[in-house]
Amino acid sequence: MNRLSLAVSRAIARVTDFALGPYQTAVLRIGLGLTWLLFLLREYPHRQELYGPAGPWSWDLAAQLVGENDAFTVLLWSDSQVWFEAVYALAVLFSLLLLLGWRTRTMAALFMVGVLTLQNRSVFMGDGGDNVVHIMAVYLVFTRCGRVWSLDARRARRAAEARARGERTPDRAGPALWAVLGFVLLLGSLSGRTDGDWFIPALLWAVWLGQAVWWLVGRLARTDQPRVLLDVVANVVHNGALLVIMAEACLIYATAGWYKVQGSRWQDGTAVHYPLNLEYFSPWPSLAELFTASGTLVMLVTYVTVVVQVAFPFTLFNRRVKNVLLAFMILEHAVIAVVLGLPFFSLAMIAADAVFLPTAFLRWVGRLAVRARERLRPGGHGTAAAVPQQRRPDGAPGGPPAVGPAEAAPVTGKVPGPRT
């Protein structure tokens, strides 16, 4: 009984004291931001046909559909061309800032708004990758995805160094951003623009109020206890969201695998042959012909794909087998991106797969990136700068309200990663 109690207490301490998987959620943030940014930039010449007020799926048709399903989109607040261009440009900006990790908590919420706004405006555009970005963008808001590999992490580290020297680092950008977003939210709520879907406006208000509470506690609290309590709440929410993200990824693969098992073409081993011979999915016909030239290769790829997708959720209990299957799936998505011409679908799936990558591997990749940056920097001698160690929140006051608890507090290298 004592062993059981000790194990339970350790599990509770692990969930409450630490934001698990900081590197995994950072890769998810970078991957989703990059995927959506590249998509918006590639489709910029076709933005009118995809999402514009005069596109094939007209503004009136979109308004009728949204009126029935109560989907969230700010593009239907106005049918003005200026409004559409502004929203599209902001969606690009939010994706870039999320990728860089600037004001990560706020940018995660605004990134979600940009994704939902465009996708719900024209629901018949896109592919399966859009669904992954759509779902993961909502989950990302609940995570502390800016603790490493972000501008927020660098700013928190510099602020801690300044406090150690007895210096103050006032931040005016955070409160200004918080005030502007609060005004926009209030204006949208009072005008009735957010009366359809209640969940997204409620989530945005929760994030906005959460930043205010975090900032006020950091400024006014005389002890560390309120800040520690908020940090525990943020860790629990983060870890719960990370668990949901993992479950969602497993559900995607399990569902796809079990549906494939029921298909006759997957059963006879010829399913991969057909998309490779469709003109729509053949940007490189000669490459597709090379793959389909061997019937044995087609059969093996067909069967292995089904087996891997069905088995992957069950391999999470064995790290070595899981890592092998994970490498295969990432390689498979890379091949799909090139051979079938679906780069954004593949990028979205690889970003979702990243939550299962081993922490040691991600830290090794981070060290390689640091070495490469040092070599490319003018005057660099090829010496790698040390990867900053994560530190536990020190409870010191500070941090602008527009930066959430995930980004305002420094972190430590002793943060345990998920069992990978």
Side-chain angles (χ1 to χ4, degrees):
M1 190 65 181
N2 292 335
R3 291 182 179 180
L4 178 60
S5 301
L6 183 60
V8 171
S9 63
R10 286 178 177 175
I12 294 175
R14 183 180 175 87
V15 172
T16 58
D17 291 348
F18 305 107
L20 303 177
Y23 293 94
Q24 287 79 1
T25 51
V27 174
L28 179 63
R29 183 200 82 232
I30 294 170
L32 291 180
L34 180 64
T35 300
W36 191 240
L37 175 64
L38 293 178
F39 174 79
L40 294 179
L41 293 178
R42 191 195 72 169
E43 299 299 341
Y44 184 79
H46 316 107
R47 65 192 184 284
Q48 298 294 340
E49 290 79 7
L50 290 174
Y51 308 113
W57 185 249
S58 67
W59 192 91
D60 292 332
L61 289 174
Q64 293 178 24
L65 181 61
V66 169
E68 295 177 0
N69 61 15
D70 290 332
F72 178 85
T73 173
V74 303
L75 274 182
L76 296 182
W77 289 8
S78 172
D79 60 355
S80 167
Q81 182 64 29
V82 175
W83 175 249
F84 165 72
E85 296 290 354
V87 170
Y88 197 94
L90 287 175
V92 172
L93 177 62
F94 297 153
S95 302
L96 177 61
L97 293 178
L98 179 70
L99 170 65
L100 297 176
W102 185 80
R103 311 290 174 178
T104 314
R105 180 76 73 179
T106 301
M107 286 306 123
L110 295 178
F111 173 78
M112 175 192 68
V113 170
V115 170
L116 299 184
T117 289
L118 293 175
Q119 291 188 357
N120 290 336
R121 164 63 178 84
S122 299
V123 295
F124 301 108
M125 304 296 177
D127 50 37
D130 291 343
N131 295 330
V132 175
V133 175
H134 188 114
I135 295 171
M136 295 300 175
V138 178
Y139 296 155
L140 198 66
V141 177
F142 297 92
T143 65
R144 309 182 76 172
C145 56
R147 297 178 71 83
V148 297
W149 297 344
S150 67
L151 295 178
D152 285 342
R154 185 181 68 172
R155 178 165 48 84
R157 185 173 64 253
R158 291 180 175 178
E161 294 172 354
R163 287 197 300 269
R165 296 191 301 265
E167 302 175 359
R168 297 187 62 184
T169 55
D171 187 2
R172 298 178 179 85
L177 180 60
W178 178 83
V180 170
L181 295 181
F183 175 76
V184 173
L185 269 176
L186 181 62
L187 190 63
S189 300
L190 293 178
S191 62
R193 301 292 187 179
T194 60
D195 290 345
D197 179 19
W198 66 268
F199 175 75
I200 299 301
L203 178 58
L204 294 176
W205 275 115
V207 172
W208 185 81
L209 291 174
Q211 312 311 321
V213 172
W214 185 270
W215 184 80
L216 288 173
V217 167
R219 284 279 182 170
L220 304 179
R222 297 182 178 180
T223 65
D224 294 341
Q225 296 304 318
R227 188 67 172 261
V228 171
L229 175 61
L230 292 180
D231 196 59
V232 168
V233 173
N235 288 336
V236 171
V237 172
H238 165 93
N239 294 329
L242 182 59
L243 178 62
V244 172
I245 290 171
M246 290 180 171
E248 184 69 37
C250 290
L251 182 63
I252 291 174
Y253 282 118
T255 303
W258 285 110
Y259 270 109
K260 287 181 175 66
V261 168
Q262 302 175 47
S264 59
R265 295 295 176 262
W266 291 96
Q267 293 174 6
D268 60 26
T270 62
V272 173
H273 170 83
Y274 296 98
L276 290 173
N277 286 275
L278 292 176
E279 183 178 357
Y280 183 79
F281 294 111
S282 297
W284 316 100
S286 57
L287 191 59
E289 292 176 4
L290 180 64
F291 271 88
T292 56
S294 172
T296 303
L297 179 61
V298 170
M299 181 186 67
L300 287 176
V301 172
T302 301
Y303 286 152
V304 170
T305 299
V306 174
V307 170
V308 169
Q309 290 184 347
V310 172
F312 179 73
F314 302 100
T315 64
L316 298 182
F317 302 100
N318 188 302
R319 286 180 287 176
R320 293 182 179 179
V321 178
K322 182 265 298 181
N323 290 337
V324 171
L325 296 189
L326 186 61
F328 175 83
M329 290 191 298
I330 292 176
L331 177 62
E332 182 182 40
H333 287 307
V335 172
I336 290 173
V338 177
V339 178
L340 296 182
L342 297 171
F344 304 113
F345 165 77
S346 297
L347 278 175
M349 289 306 303
I350 291 174
D353 293 341
V355 298
F356 299 103
L357 289 174
T359 300
F361 170 76
L362 293 176
R363 298 185 69 172
W364 174 74
V365 171
R367 289 192 294 268
L368 289 182
V370 170
R371 293 192 186 103
R373 184 188 64 186
E374 291 299 319
R375 290 191 179 98
L376 295 175
R377 180 178 297 174
H381 300 287
T383 57
V387 176
Q389 295 294 319
Q390 302 178 47
R391 290 171 290 175
R392 290 282 299 126
D394 57 7
V403 182
E407 293 77 37
V411 291
T412 176
K414 296 183 179 179
V415 175
R419 291 190 58 82
T420 54

